[in-house]
């Protein structure tokens, strides 16, 4: 039976909870059997400690582990919350009211062309406050799940650095 290791395609189901300000676990995401998480181990872009916790497990194995902010997406950074002039969001002189709403995540690029996601926090008369922290930054993450499948990655998947087909990238 295949074990999770470098260049294996891994399919897992899980519940992800975070610890809230009252130290209670709150469920924030589930990957169920009908929509599991599928990734190429070692090239997933997931936190290193997440992959380390799964390494060596086989199909049918259960897992339970927690990641601290340092092991996951870092501490919440107040400097990643910035004001952007409202006119930056204009397209042909107009602002798309559907797009620019508090709570929406928008694709953005910095001055060097690096792409990132920003969450609209507040919309003012002349500026928009955006939060560029990862949504799980500063949180302790608790995973409880099961390995649904482990298989060898195809040559094409290894060359492209991601899973193809069901649960993966479609070309």
């Amino acid at each position: 039976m295949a074990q999770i290791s470098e260049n294996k395609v891994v399919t897992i189901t899980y519940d992800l909870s975070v610890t809230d300000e009252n130290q209670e676990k709150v469920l924030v995401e589930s990957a169920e059997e009908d929509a599991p998480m599928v990734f190429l181990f070692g090239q997933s872009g997931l936190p290193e400690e997440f992959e380390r916790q799964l390494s060596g497990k086989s199909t049918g194995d259960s897992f339970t582990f927690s990641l601290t902010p340092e092991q996951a997406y870092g501490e919440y950074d107040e400097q990643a919350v910035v004001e952007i002039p409202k006119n930056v969001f204009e397209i042909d002189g107009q602002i798309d009211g559907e797009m620019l709403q508090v709570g929406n995540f928008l694709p953005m690029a910095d001055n060097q062309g690096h792409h990132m996601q920003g969450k609209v926090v507040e919309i003012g008369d002349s500026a928009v406050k955006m939060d560029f922290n990862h949504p799980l930054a500063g949180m302790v993450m608790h995973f409880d799940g099961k390995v649904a499948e482990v298989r060898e990655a195809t040559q094409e998947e290894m060359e492209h650095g991601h899973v193809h087909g069901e649960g993966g990238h479609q070309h």
Side-chain angles (χ1 to χ4, degrees):
M1 190 180 301
Q3 289 187 320
I4 296 175
S5 62
E6 199 78 18
N7 294 324
K8 295 283 198 285
V9 173
V10 179
T11 303
I12 60 173
T13 58
Y14 64 87
D15 287 334
L16 166 60
S17 301
V18 296
T19 305
D20 70 9
E21 56 277 354
N22 300 321
Q23 302 308 304
E24 301 283 328
K25 283 186 184 178
V26 178
L27 181 68
V28 294
E29 182 179 284
S30 289
E32 305 291 338
E33 285 181 24
D34 60 341
M37 178 180 188
V38 182
F39 63 96
L40 182 56
F41 192 86
Q43 297 188 49
S44 67
L46 295 165
E48 194 174 302
E49 182 63 16
F50 178 88
E51 286 196 347
R52 194 183 76 67
Q53 290 288 336
L54 294 175
S55 183
K57 296 199 179 309
S58 301
T59 300
D61 286 353
S62 294
F63 57 86
T64 299
F65 60 87
S66 297
L67 300 180
T68 64
E70 296 77 24
Q71 295 170 319
Y73 297 105
E75 292 295 341
Y76 188 84
D77 181 3
E78 292 293 339
Q79 293 185 358
V81 180
V82 296
E83 298 245 338
I84 298 174
K86 204 170 185 179
N87 65 354
V88 166
F89 299 92
E90 291 180 3
I91 299 169
D92 297 329
Q94 298 291 314
I95 290 180
D96 181 347
E98 289 287 310
M99 175 192 74
L100 196 60
Q101 291 188 19
V102 172
N104 280 359
F105 285 87
L106 304 177
M108 304 287 289
D110 65 13
N111 294 339
Q112 289 80 43
H114 299 114
H115 293 274
M116 60 190 113
Q117 289 274 2
K119 181 179 180 182
V120 179
V121 178
E122 186 179 302
I123 302 170
D125 291 335
S126 61
V128 176
K129 188 182 285 187
M130 301 279 296
D131 185 346
F132 290 98
N133 282 287
H134 187 282
L136 295 170
M139 297 184 190
V140 176
M141 301 165 53
H142 309 280
F143 291 91
D144 186 14
K146 188 173 185 176
V147 179
E149 183 184 16
V150 180
R151 69 167 173 82
E152 291 291 335
T154 66
Q155 187 64 38
E156 185 180 38
E157 288 171 327
M158 288 189 289
E159 288 169 3
H160 290 198
H162 56 250
V163 178
H164 292 173
E166 194 166 326
H169 188 81
Q170 308 296 327
H171 282 281

